[in-house]
Amino acid sequence: MPSTTLAVRADEDPWTDEEIEQVHTELLGDIERLAAELKTSAVELREMLAAGVDGAGNDQADVGSNSLERDAEMSLAANQQLLLIQTEKALERLEDGSYGICENCGEPIGKLRLMAFPRATLCMECKRKEERR
C-alpha cells in the first residue's frame, strides 16, 4: 500500500506507515471474515427455507421455534452485510487518503478511535450528537 498522509487531531502523532498497514491488514481480514460468514449464513438460510415454513407435521411450538431461528439468522445476515459494506468503505477511504475525516464536520476523527473501531466515520462529538437524536 502506498504511503499516504492521513488526518489526525492536533494532540495526536501522525500515522506511521506501520499503523496504516496494520489498519489496512485488519480491514482486509474483516472483509474476508465477513464475506465467509455471509456465505455460511446464506447456506443456512437456504437450508431453513428448503425445509419449509408451513409447519406440516410439527406442533405450534416447533413452528414458532423454526420461525424464530429463521428470523434470527436473517437478522444476523443483514448485520453482517452492513458491516461488510462499512468495512469496504473504510478500506476505500484508507486507500484514497480520506480515512480519518469525520463525514459530518470534516474534522479528524481521531487516531485512537480509528485504531479501536476502524470503520468509524464520525468523530466522537458528532457521534454523541447522533446518538442523542
Side-chain angles (χ1 to χ4, degrees), residues 39-95:
K39 191 177 282 190
T40 300
S41 290
V43 168
E44 290 174 3
L45 274 170
R46 247 184 263 120
E47 290 171 358
M48 283 182 206
L49 293 173
V53 293
D54 63 358
N58 293 329
D59 65 22
Q60 287 181 336
D62 288 338
V63 172
S65 178
N66 291 343
S67 293
L68 186 63
E69 185 177 343
R70 184 184 64 248
D71 291 348
E73 192 64 36
M74 290 174 72
S75 179
L76 178 63
N79 187 45
Q80 289 167 329
Q81 182 66 43
L82 180 60
L83 284 173
L84 179 60
I85 291 167
Q86 290 173 346
T87 305
E88 289 170 340
K89 288 182 179 181
L91 185 61
E92 288 172 15
R93 288 190 310 274
L94 184 65
E95 291 174 347

Side-chain angles (χ1 to χ4, degrees), residues 98-116:
S98 63
Y99 188 74
I101 299 171
C102 178
E103 290 182 347
N104 190 40
C105 69
E107 294 295 319
I109 290 173
K111 187 171 153 182
L112 291 176
R113 174 165 165 71
L114 288 167
M115 291 183 92

